[in-house]
mmCIF file with all atom_site columns, all heavy atoms in Angstrom:
data_model
loop_
_atom_site.group_PDB
_atom_site.id
_atom_site.type_symbol
_atom_site.label_atom_id
_atom_site.label_alt_id
_atom_site.label_comp_id
_atom_site.label_asym_id
_atom_site.label_entity_id
_atom_site.label_seq_id
_atom_site.pdbx_PDB_ins_code
_atom_site.Cartn_x
_atom_site.Cartn_y
_atom_site.Cartn_z
_atom_site.occupancy
_atom_site.B_iso_or_equiv
_atom_site.pdbx_formal_charge
_atom_site.auth_seq_id
_atom_site.auth_comp_id
_atom_site.auth_asym_id
_atom_site.auth_atom_id
_atom_site.pdbx_PDB_model_num
ATOM 1   N N   . ALA X 1 12 ? 108.929 52.129 13.101 1.00 0.00 ? 12 ALA X N   1
ATOM 2   C CA  . ALA X 1 12 ? 107.927 52.722 13.993 1.00 0.00 ? 12 ALA X CA  1
ATOM 3   C C   . ALA X 1 12 ? 106.530 52.285 13.583 1.00 0.00 ? 12 ALA X C   1
ATOM 4   O O   . ALA X 1 12 ? 105.702 51.934 14.439 1.00 0.00 ? 12 ALA X O   1
ATOM 5   C CB  . ALA X 1 12 ? 108.045 54.243 13.986 1.00 0.00 ? 12 ALA X CB  1
ATOM 6   N N   . TRP X 1 13 ? 106.243 52.294 12.284 1.00 0.00 ? 13 TRP X N   1
ATOM 7   C CA  . TRP X 1 13 ? 104.939 51.870 11.795 1.00 0.00 ? 13 TRP X CA  1
ATOM 8   C C   . TRP X 1 13 ? 104.671 50.414 12.154 1.00 0.00 ? 13 TRP X C   1
ATOM 9   O O   . TRP X 1 13 ? 103.571 50.057 12.564 1.00 0.00 ? 13 TRP X O   1
ATOM 10  C CB  . TRP X 1 13 ? 104.859 52.083 10.283 1.00 0.00 ? 13 TRP X CB  1
ATOM 11  C CG  . TRP X 1 13 ? 103.498 51.811 9.724  1.00 0.00 ? 13 TRP X CG  1
ATOM 12  C CD1 . TRP X 1 13 ? 102.447 52.666 9.671  1.00 0.00 ? 13 TRP X CD1 1
ATOM 13  C CD2 . TRP X 1 13 ? 103.059 50.576 9.142  1.00 0.00 ? 13 TRP X CD2 1
ATOM 14  N NE1 . TRP X 1 13 ? 101.372 52.042 9.088  1.00 0.00 ? 13 TRP X NE1 1
ATOM 15  C CE2 . TRP X 1 13 ? 101.719 50.757 8.760  1.00 0.00 ? 13 TRP X CE2 1
ATOM 16  C CE3 . TRP X 1 13 ? 103.664 49.352 8.914  1.00 0.00 ? 13 TRP X CE3 1
ATOM 17  C CZ2 . TRP X 1 13 ? 100.978 49.749 8.161  1.00 0.00 ? 13 TRP X CZ2 1
ATOM 18  C CZ3 . TRP X 1 13 ? 102.918 48.345 8.311  1.00 0.00 ? 13 TRP X CZ3 1
ATOM 19  C CH2 . TRP X 1 13 ? 101.597 48.563 7.944  1.00 0.00 ? 13 TRP X CH2 1
ATOM 20  N N   . SER X 1 14 ? 105.689 49.571 12.009 1.00 0.00 ? 14 SER X N   1
ATOM 21  C CA  . SER X 1 14 ? 105.540 48.154 12.337 1.00 0.00 ? 14 SER X CA  1
ATOM 22  C C   . SER X 1 14 ? 105.281 47.952 13.828 1.00 0.00 ? 14 SER X C   1
ATOM 23  O O   . SER X 1 14 ? 104.426 47.141 14.209 1.00 0.00 ? 14 SER X O   1
ATOM 24  C CB  . SER X 1 14 ? 106.787 47.376 11.926 1.00 0.00 ? 14 SER X CB  1
ATOM 25  O OG  . SER X 1 14 ? 106.960 47.425 10.539 1.00 0.00 ? 14 SER X OG  1
ATOM 26  N N   . LEU X 1 15 ? 105.995 48.667 14.669 1.00 0.00 ? 15 LEU X N   1
ATOM 27  C CA  . LEU X 1 15 ? 105.796 48.552 16.114 1.00 0.00 ? 15 LEU X CA  1
ATOM 28  C C   . LEU X 1 15 ? 104.395 49.003 16.520 1.00 0.00 ? 15 LEU X C   1
ATOM 29  O O   . LEU X 1 15 ? 103.745 48.365 17.354 1.00 0.00 ? 15 LEU X O   1
ATOM 30  C CB  . LEU X 1 15 ? 106.854 49.351 16.873 1.00 0.00 ? 15 LEU X CB  1
ATOM 31  C CG  . LEU X 1 15 ? 108.263 48.784 16.847 1.00 0.00 ? 15 LEU X CG  1
ATOM 32  C CD1 . LEU X 1 15 ? 109.242 49.745 17.509 1.00 0.00 ? 15 LEU X CD1 1
ATOM 33  C CD2 . LEU X 1 15 ? 108.307 47.427 17.517 1.00 0.00 ? 15 LEU X CD2 1
ATOM 34  N N   . ILE X 1 16 ? 103.940 50.076 15.930 1.00 0.00 ? 16 ILE X N   1
ATOM 35  C CA  . ILE X 1 16 ? 102.592 50.563 16.232 1.00 0.00 ? 16 ILE X CA  1
ATOM 36  C C   . ILE X 1 16 ? 101.550 49.547 15.774 1.00 0.00 ? 16 ILE X C   1
ATOM 37  O O   . ILE X 1 16 ? 100.580 49.267 16.490 1.00 0.00 ? 16 ILE X O   1
ATOM 38  C CB  . ILE X 1 16 ? 102.356 51.947 15.587 1.00 0.00 ? 16 ILE X CB  1
ATOM 39  C CG1 . ILE X 1 16 ? 103.204 53.003 16.299 1.00 0.00 ? 16 ILE X CG1 1
ATOM 40  C CG2 . ILE X 1 16 ? 100.883 52.323 15.629 1.00 0.00 ? 16 ILE X CG2 1
ATOM 41  C CD1 . ILE X 1 16 ? 103.212 54.352 15.616 1.00 0.00 ? 16 ILE X CD1 1
ATOM 42  N N   . SER X 1 17 ? 101.749 48.950 14.619 1.00 0.00 ? 17 SER X N   1
ATOM 43  C CA  . SER X 1 17 ? 100.818 47.934 14.117 1.00 0.00 ? 17 SER X CA  1
ATOM 44  C C   . SER X 1 17 ? 100.791 46.711 15.025 1.00 0.00 ? 17 SER X C   1
ATOM 45  O O   . SER X 1 17 ? 99.719  46.157 15.296 1.00 0.00 ? 17 SER X O   1
ATOM 46  C CB  . SER X 1 17 ? 101.192 47.514 12.699 1.00 0.00 ? 17 SER X CB  1
ATOM 47  O OG  . SER X 1 17 ? 101.065 48.597 11.822 1.00 0.00 ? 17 SER X OG  1
ATOM 48  N N   . ILE X 1 18 ? 101.939 46.305 15.500 1.00 0.00 ? 18 ILE X N   1
ATOM 49  C CA  . ILE X 1 18 ? 102.008 45.163 16.415 1.00 0.00 ? 18 ILE X CA  1
ATOM 50  C C   . ILE X 1 18 ? 101.296 45.498 17.724 1.00 0.00 ? 18 ILE X C   1
ATOM 51  O O   . ILE X 1 18 ? 100.553 44.663 18.267 1.00 0.00 ? 18 ILE X O   1
ATOM 52  C CB  . ILE X 1 18 ? 103.478 44.753 16.653 1.00 0.00 ? 18 ILE X CB  1
ATOM 53  C CG1 . ILE X 1 18 ? 104.055 44.127 15.388 1.00 0.00 ? 18 ILE X CG1 1
ATOM 54  C CG2 . ILE X 1 18 ? 103.596 43.792 17.833 1.00 0.00 ? 18 ILE X CG2 1
ATOM 55  C CD1 . ILE X 1 18 ? 105.550 43.927 15.412 1.00 0.00 ? 18 ILE X CD1 1
ATOM 56  N N   . LEU X 1 19 ? 101.499 46.702 18.243 1.00 0.00 ? 19 LEU X N   1
ATOM 57  C CA  . LEU X 1 19 ? 100.813 47.113 19.469 1.00 0.00 ? 19 LEU X CA  1
ATOM 58  C C   . LEU X 1 19 ? 99.299  47.144 19.278 1.00 0.00 ? 19 LEU X C   1
ATOM 59  O O   . LEU X 1 19 ? 98.545  46.733 20.163 1.00 0.00 ? 19 LEU X O   1
ATOM 60  C CB  . LEU X 1 19 ? 101.311 48.485 19.926 1.00 0.00 ? 19 LEU X CB  1
ATOM 61  C CG  . LEU X 1 19 ? 102.636 48.486 20.663 1.00 0.00 ? 19 LEU X CG  1
ATOM 62  C CD1 . LEU X 1 19 ? 103.125 49.916 20.859 1.00 0.00 ? 19 LEU X CD1 1
ATOM 63  C CD2 . LEU X 1 19 ? 102.502 47.789 22.005 1.00 0.00 ? 19 LEU X CD2 1
ATOM 64  N N   . GLN X 1 20 ? 98.853  47.621 18.129 1.00 0.00 ? 20 GLN X N   1
ATOM 65  C CA  . GLN X 1 20 ? 97.418  47.627 17.847 1.00 0.00 ? 20 GLN X CA  1
ATOM 66  C C   . GLN X 1 20 ? 96.862  46.204 17.835 1.00 0.00 ? 20 GLN X C   1
ATOM 67  O O   . GLN X 1 20 ? 95.793  45.948 18.399 1.00 0.00 ? 20 GLN X O   1
ATOM 68  C CB  . GLN X 1 20 ? 97.136  48.293 16.505 1.00 0.00 ? 20 GLN X CB  1
ATOM 69  C CG  . GLN X 1 20 ? 97.272  49.776 16.512 1.00 0.00 ? 20 GLN X CG  1
ATOM 70  C CD  . GLN X 1 20 ? 97.083  50.360 15.121 1.00 0.00 ? 20 GLN X CD  1
ATOM 71  O OE1 . GLN X 1 20 ? 97.363  49.714 14.113 1.00 0.00 ? 20 GLN X OE1 1
ATOM 72  N NE2 . GLN X 1 20 ? 96.616  51.591 15.075 1.00 0.00 ? 20 GLN X NE2 1
ATOM 73  N N   . LEU X 1 21 ? 97.574  45.299 17.209 1.00 0.00 ? 21 LEU X N   1
ATOM 74  C CA  . LEU X 1 21 ? 97.137  43.908 17.166 1.00 0.00 ? 21 LEU X CA  1
ATOM 75  C C   . LEU X 1 21 ? 97.098  43.308 18.568 1.00 0.00 ? 21 LEU X C   1
ATOM 76  O O   . LEU X 1 21 ? 96.146  42.613 18.934 1.00 0.00 ? 21 LEU X O   1
ATOM 77  C CB  . LEU X 1 21 ? 98.047  43.091 16.248 1.00 0.00 ? 21 LEU X CB  1
ATOM 78  C CG  . LEU X 1 21 ? 97.710  41.620 16.113 1.00 0.00 ? 21 LEU X CG  1
ATOM 79  C CD1 . LEU X 1 21 ? 96.330  41.451 15.485 1.00 0.00 ? 21 LEU X CD1 1
ATOM 80  C CD2 . LEU X 1 21 ? 98.761  40.906 15.291 1.00 0.00 ? 21 LEU X CD2 1
ATOM 81  N N   . MET X 1 22 ? 98.110  43.585 19.358 1.00 0.00 ? 22 MET X N   1
ATOM 82  C CA  . MET X 1 22 ? 98.148  43.076 20.728 1.00 0.00 ? 22 MET X CA  1
ATOM 83  C C   . MET X 1 22 ? 96.984  43.624 21.556 1.00 0.00 ? 22 MET X C   1
ATOM 84  O O   . MET X 1 22 ? 96.371  42.889 22.338 1.00 0.00 ? 22 MET X O   1
ATOM 85  C CB  . MET X 1 22 ? 99.486  43.424 21.388 1.00 0.00 ? 22 MET X CB  1
ATOM 86  C CG  . MET X 1 22 ? 100.656 42.684 20.783 1.00 0.00 ? 22 MET X CG  1
ATOM 87  S SD  . MET X 1 22 ? 102.234 43.262 21.413 1.00 0.00 ? 22 MET X SD  1
ATOM 88  C CE  . MET X 1 22 ? 102.297 42.388 22.952 1.00 0.00 ? 22 MET X CE  1
ATOM 89  N N   . MET X 1 23 ? 96.672  44.894 21.367 1.00 0.00 ? 23 MET X N   1
ATOM 90  C CA  . MET X 1 23 ? 95.558  45.487 22.097 1.00 0.00 ? 23 MET X CA  1
ATOM 91  C C   . MET X 1 23 ? 94.235  44.876 21.650 1.00 0.00 ? 23 MET X C   1
ATOM 92  O O   . MET X 1 23 ? 93.349  44.630 22.474 1.00 0.00 ? 23 MET X O   1
ATOM 93  C CB  . MET X 1 23 ? 95.548  47.006 21.927 1.00 0.00 ? 23 MET X CB  1
ATOM 94  C CG  . MET X 1 23 ? 96.667  47.689 22.684 1.00 0.00 ? 23 MET X CG  1
ATOM 95  S SD  . MET X 1 23 ? 96.678  49.473 22.487 1.00 0.00 ? 23 MET X SD  1
ATOM 96  C CE  . MET X 1 23 ? 95.204  49.923 23.378 1.00 0.00 ? 23 MET X CE  1
ATOM 97  N N   . LEU X 1 24 ? 94.095  44.613 20.363 1.00 0.00 ? 24 LEU X N   1
ATOM 98  C CA  . LEU X 1 24 ? 92.884  43.997 19.854 1.00 0.00 ? 24 LEU X CA  1
ATOM 99  C C   . LEU X 1 24 ? 92.703  42.588 20.423 1.00 0.00 ? 24 LEU X C   1
ATOM 100 O O   . LEU X 1 24 ? 91.608  42.217 20.861 1.00 0.00 ? 24 LEU X O   1
ATOM 101 C CB  . LEU X 1 24 ? 92.912  43.964 18.325 1.00 0.00 ? 24 LEU X CB  1
ATOM 102 C CG  . LEU X 1 24 ? 91.687  43.391 17.641 1.00 0.00 ? 24 LEU X CG  1
ATOM 103 C CD1 . LEU X 1 24 ? 90.466  44.258 17.924 1.00 0.00 ? 24 LEU X CD1 1
ATOM 104 C CD2 . LEU X 1 24 ? 91.924  43.298 16.147 1.00 0.00 ? 24 LEU X CD2 1
ATOM 105 N N   . VAL X 1 25 ? 93.768  41.813 20.440 1.00 0.00 ? 25 VAL X N   1
ATOM 106 C CA  . VAL X 1 25 ? 93.699  40.460 21.001 1.00 0.00 ? 25 VAL X CA  1
ATOM 107 C C   . VAL X 1 25 ? 93.384  40.526 22.491 1.00 0.00 ? 25 VAL X C   1
ATOM 108 O O   . VAL X 1 25 ? 92.573  39.744 23.000 1.00 0.00 ? 25 VAL X O   1
ATOM 109 C CB  . VAL X 1 25 ? 95.014  39.690 20.732 1.00 0.00 ? 25 VAL X CB  1
ATOM 110 C CG1 . VAL X 1 25 ? 95.039  38.376 21.485 1.00 0.00 ? 25 VAL X CG1 1
ATOM 111 C CG2 . VAL X 1 25 ? 95.195  39.453 19.247 1.00 0.00 ? 25 VAL X CG2 1
ATOM 112 N N   . ARG X 1 26 ? 93.974  41.480 23.186 1.00 0.00 ? 26 ARG X N   1
ATOM 113 C CA  . ARG X 1 26 ? 93.688  41.643 24.620 1.00 0.00 ? 26 ARG X CA  1
ATOM 114 C C   . ARG X 1 26 ? 92.215  41.983 24.848 1.00 0.00 ? 26 ARG X C   1
ATOM 115 O O   . ARG X 1 26 ? 91.583  41.458 25.767 1.00 0.00 ? 26 ARG X O   1
ATOM 116 C CB  . ARG X 1 26 ? 94.583  42.731 25.214 1.00 0.00 ? 26 ARG X CB  1
ATOM 117 C CG  . ARG X 1 26 ? 94.322  42.976 26.672 1.00 0.00 ? 26 ARG X CG  1
ATOM 118 C CD  . ARG X 1 26 ? 95.195  44.065 27.234 1.00 0.00 ? 26 ARG X CD  1
ATOM 119 N NE  . ARG X 1 26 ? 94.782  44.381 28.589 1.00 0.00 ? 26 ARG X NE  1
ATOM 120 C CZ  . ARG X 1 26 ? 95.322  45.311 29.328 1.00 0.00 ? 26 ARG X CZ  1
ATOM 121 N NH1 . ARG X 1 26 ? 96.334  46.028 28.857 1.00 0.00 ? 26 ARG X NH1 1
ATOM 122 N NH2 . ARG X 1 26 ? 94.883  45.544 30.547 1.00 0.00 ? 26 ARG X NH2 1
ATOM 123 N N   . ALA X 1 27 ? 91.665  42.846 24.013 1.00 0.00 ? 27 ALA X N   1
ATOM 124 C CA  . ALA X 1 27 ? 90.257  43.221 24.150 1.00 0.00 ? 27 ALA X CA  1
ATOM 125 C C   . ALA X 1 27 ? 89.354  42.009 23.919 1.00 0.00 ? 27 ALA X C   1
ATOM 126 O O   . ALA X 1 27 ? 88.397  41.791 24.661 1.00 0.00 ? 27 ALA X O   1
ATOM 127 C CB  . ALA X 1 27 ? 89.920  44.334 23.180 1.00 0.00 ? 27 ALA X CB  1
ATOM 128 N N   . ILE X 1 28 ? 89.654  41.214 22.905 1.00 0.00 ? 28 ILE X N   1
ATOM 129 C CA  . ILE X 1 28 ? 88.846  40.029 22.627 1.00 0.00 ? 28 ILE X CA  1
ATOM 130 C C   . ILE X 1 28 ? 88.976  39.020 23.756 1.00 0.00 ? 28 ILE X C   1
ATOM 131 O O   . ILE X 1 28 ? 87.990  38.414 24.182 1.00 0.00 ? 28 ILE X O   1
ATOM 132 C CB  . ILE X 1 28 ? 89.226  39.417 21.265 1.00 0.00 ? 28 ILE X CB  1
ATOM 133 C CG1 . ILE X 1 28 ? 88.823  40.382 20.146 1.00 0.00 ? 28 ILE X CG1 1
ATOM 134 C CG2 . ILE X 1 28 ? 88.583  38.053 21.064 1.00 0.00 ? 28 ILE X CG2 1
ATOM 135 C CD1 . ILE X 1 28 ? 89.344  40.017 18.784 1.00 0.00 ? 28 ILE X CD1 1
ATOM 136 N N   . MET X 1 29 ? 90.177  38.844 24.278 1.00 0.00 ? 29 MET X N   1
ATOM 137 C CA  . MET X 1 29 ? 90.386  37.910 25.383 1.00 0.00 ? 29 MET X CA  1
ATOM 138 C C   . MET X 1 29 ? 89.654  38.351 26.648 1.00 0.00 ? 29 MET X C   1
ATOM 139 O O   . MET X 1 29 ? 89.298  37.512 27.478 1.00 0.00 ? 29 MET X O   1
ATOM 140 C CB  . MET X 1 29 ? 91.880  37.741 25.666 1.00 0.00 ? 29 MET X CB  1
ATOM 141 C CG  . MET X 1 29 ? 92.603  36.913 24.633 1.00 0.00 ? 29 MET X CG  1
ATOM 142 S SD  . MET X 1 29 ? 94.346  36.696 25.005 1.00 0.00 ? 29 MET X SD  1
ATOM 143 C CE  . MET X 1 29 ? 94.250  35.521 26.337 1.00 0.00 ? 29 MET X CE  1
ATOM 144 N N   . SER X 1 30 ? 89.426  39.641 26.803 1.00 0.00 ? 30 SER X N   1
ATOM 145 C CA  . SER X 1 30 ? 88.737  40.113 27.998 1.00 0.00 ? 30 SER X CA  1
ATOM 146 C C   . SER X 1 30 ? 87.278  39.663 28.032 1.00 0.00 ? 30 SER X C   1
ATOM 147 O O   . SER X 1 30 ? 86.641  39.673 29.075 1.00 0.00 ? 30 SER X O   1
ATOM 148 C CB  . SER X 1 30 ? 88.817  41.637 28.100 1.00 0.00 ? 30 SER X CB  1
ATOM 149 O OG  . SER X 1 30 ? 87.996  42.250 27.137 1.00 0.00 ? 30 SER X OG  1
#
Side-chain angles (χ1 to χ4, degrees):
W13 186 84
S14 297
L15 289 174
I16 290 171
S17 296
I18 290 169
L19 280 171
Q20 286 176 331
L21 180 63
M22 292 172 81
M23 288 180 69
L24 182 64
V25 171
R26 179 181 173 182
I28 293 170
M29 286 181 74
S30 72

